[in-house]
Amino acid sequence: MIKELRREILQASFDAGACHIGSALSCLPIMYGLFYEVLKDDVFIFSKASGVATYYAILADKGYFPKDKLAYYLKNYPLASKEVPGVLHSVGSLGHGLPVAVGLAYANPNKRVFVLISDGEVEEGTTYESALFAHQHNLKNLYVYVDNNGIQACGKTNDILNLDLALNFFQKMFPNCYNIHTTKGDGVSFMENTVEWHYKNIDEELLKQALEENGF
Amino acid sequence: MDFRRQFFNQMCELAEKDKDVILLTGDLGYSFCEEYAHKFPKQFINCGCIEQSMVGIAAGMVLGGKKPYVYSGTIFLLMRAYEQVRDDVAYNNLNVKLIGTGASQFLGFTHNLQGNENEQDLLKNLPNIKSFYPQNEEDLRLALLSFGPAFIRI
């Protein structure tokens, strides 16, 4: 099942000429766990805008729109947009989805609110601000997941800004905060743990290789 | 009467009538907000000095069914939190009311002696969000009761 989603993400990224494939694949295990095992009548905010191919692929699989529209949405709305069926709030710049999730959780104390952020977003000031607010108001219904793949746009995260201490702090401040160690480009050998696949578009030959590795 | 006093008086009326109304302040309003805060503790949050997140939080509250009014200095709402105003409020077209005190040179923080800054310029290219510059009590009432995202300078 997760391999089938990976296939759809790779194929749609090729069809749409989309980048950020490594970011999309790193959050796939978290997104899979959330959407197929955890989320019920809950609210979800996808803050990690660059991994949007995974979010759209799962929304299509959940029936929000036909799978043959996946590449169309990815091409026309390359950051999570509420023009796409199933998306609650449009995001783009880093650090926007978390405060919105905080507001949702405050407004609906009886509803669980889940939010996925990237390790790059942990560097943004709004993460610190949101942590202060969530702690002060004890937002137990807020669930923050950090896709910690250790690589940001121009290099290894901990070489640019070491986040180990900050993540410990945020896990204490948010009532529920999960620092999930993931792999950039997860499931495709030549993409794994590389900076370049934050950006690169996949060509036909590499697509074939990536799909073969996954049994297609 | 000081417009700030009128604002908090009118907010008392709104909060009384509609339990979804919620007032967020960025640690401003000393000597003006106390009556409201005392009467409607469940409809009041002093968010502290987290202006960027406060605007995002207000947008999330709209998605959660609330009617947030965000009170702060104009420079903090429109300059420090400009991207949140643009992305989370205007682009997402969410019914957040931003109430800014003073003009963009409030407190002299810009150190701009030329006096050529104007918050209307910051808002004119954004979609969905309306701007109000109320001149009297009735103007203010209409602005607060308008539908959709708005910036209201008092």
Side-chain angles (χ1 to χ4, degrees), chain B residues 15-28:
Chain B
E16 178 79 49
K17 282 185 204 143
D18 188 342
K19 290 299 156 196
D20 287 331
V21 164
I22 186 161
L23 175 59
L24 286 70
T25 72
D27 202 30
L28 283 178

Side-chain angles (χ1 to χ4, degrees), chain A residues 53-64:
Chain A
T54 293
Y55 187 26
Y56 288 174
I58 287 174
L59 289 174
D61 192 61
K62 289 284 179 184
Y64 284 95

Side-chain angles (χ1 to χ4, degrees), chain A residues 45 82-83 88-108 124-130 132-133 136-137, chain B residues 22 24 41-42 44-47 49-54 56-61 63-66 80 83-84 86-89 91-94:
Chain A
I45 295 285
K82 68 177 186 179
E83 300 298 318
L88 186 58
H89 189 75
S90 301
V91 294
S93 295
L94 302 192
H96 280 256
L98 179 56
V100 172
V102 167
L104 264 161
Y106 187 96
N108 289 308
E124 294 286 353
T126 52
T127 307
Y128 177 76
E129 294 179 349
S130 294
L132 294 176
F133 188 94
Q136 180 72 21
H137 297 281
Chain B
I22 186 161
L24 286 70
K42 290 184 176 167
F44 177 77
I45 313 172
N46 181 351
C47 295
C49 309
I50 60 165
E51 293 84 2
Q52 295 171 29
S53 292
M54 176 167 68
I57 287 167
M61 285 180 170
L63 293 172
K66 299 288 184 193
R80 183 182 286 264
E83 199 181 57
Q84 279 74 18
R86 188 192 70 158
D87 293 11
D88 297 315
V89 177
Y91 284 173
N92 277 282
N93 196 11
L94 293 173

Side-chain angles (χ1 to χ4, degrees), chain A:
Chain A
M1 179 67 202
I2 204 162
K3 282 192 175 180
E4 178 59 26
L5 284 167
R6 192 178 290 121
R7 185 189 71 75
E8 289 167 7
I9 292 161
L10 289 164
Q11 184 67 50
S13 296
F14 172 76
D15 292 342
C19 61
H20 295 137
I21 305 172
S23 306
L25 293 178
S26 84
C27 70
L28 177 58
I30 304 173
M31 291 289 283
Y32 183 84
L34 285 176
F35 276 82
Y36 295 88
E37 286 165 28
V38 177
L39 294 177
K40 294 184 177 76
D41 183 27
D42 304 306
V43 184
F44 176 75
I45 295 285
F46 188 82
S47 189
K48 189 202 152 134
S50 59
V52 74
T54 293
Y55 187 26
Y56 288 174
I58 287 174
L59 289 174
D61 192 61
K62 289 284 179 184
Y64 284 95
F65 56 86
K67 289 194 174 190
D68 60 13
K69 288 199 82 175
L70 180 55
Y72 167 82
Y73 282 131
L74 192 55
K75 185 175 172 60
N76 289 283
Y77 304 102
L79 298 168
S81 166
K82 68 177 186 179
E83 300 298 318
V84 177
V87 179
L88 186 58
H89 189 75
S90 301
V91 294
S93 295
L94 302 192
H96 280 256
L98 179 56
V100 172
V102 167
L104 264 161
Y106 187 96
N108 289 308
N110 297 321
K111 221 171 177 63
R112 296 194 302 176
V113 178
F114 291 78
V115 57
L116 178 75
I117 67 173
S118 66
D119 46 0
E121 289 190 286
V122 171
E123 296 169 7
E124 294 286 353
T126 52
T127 307
Y128 177 76
E129 294 179 349
S130 294
L132 294 176
F133 188 94
H135 180 72
Q136 180 72 21
H137 297 281
N138 194 19
L139 299 181
K140 286 182 181 159
N141 57 326
L142 176 71
Y143 295 79
V144 181
Y145 284 75
V146 182
D147 177 12
N148 187 357
N149 62 34
I151 293 176
Q152 57 188 99
C154 293
K156 287 191 175 161
T157 303
N158 278 4
D159 291 342
I160 295 162
L161 286 173
N162 190 312
L163 297 178
D164 293 345
L165 205 54
L167 282 163
N168 283 339
F169 169 74
F170 289 131
Q171 283 179 286
K172 290 193 178 103
M173 293 294 281
F174 288 107
N176 310 290
C177 177
Y178 305 98
N179 173 22
I180 315 280
H181 290 275
T182 57
T183 304
K184 192 117 180 171
D186 191 29
V188 179
S189 62
F190 57 87
M191 291 187 188
E192 285 189 355
N193 293 313
T194 62
V195 175
E196 63 176 333
W197 281 98
H198 187 80
Y199 299 102
K200 268 183 89 167
N201 302 114
I202 192 165
D203 63 24
E204 203 162 357
E205 196 178 322
L206 287 174
L207 175 68
K208 191 162 167 270
Q209 187 184 330
L211 293 179
E212 273 173 11
E213 281 182 14
N214 282 275
F216 296 101

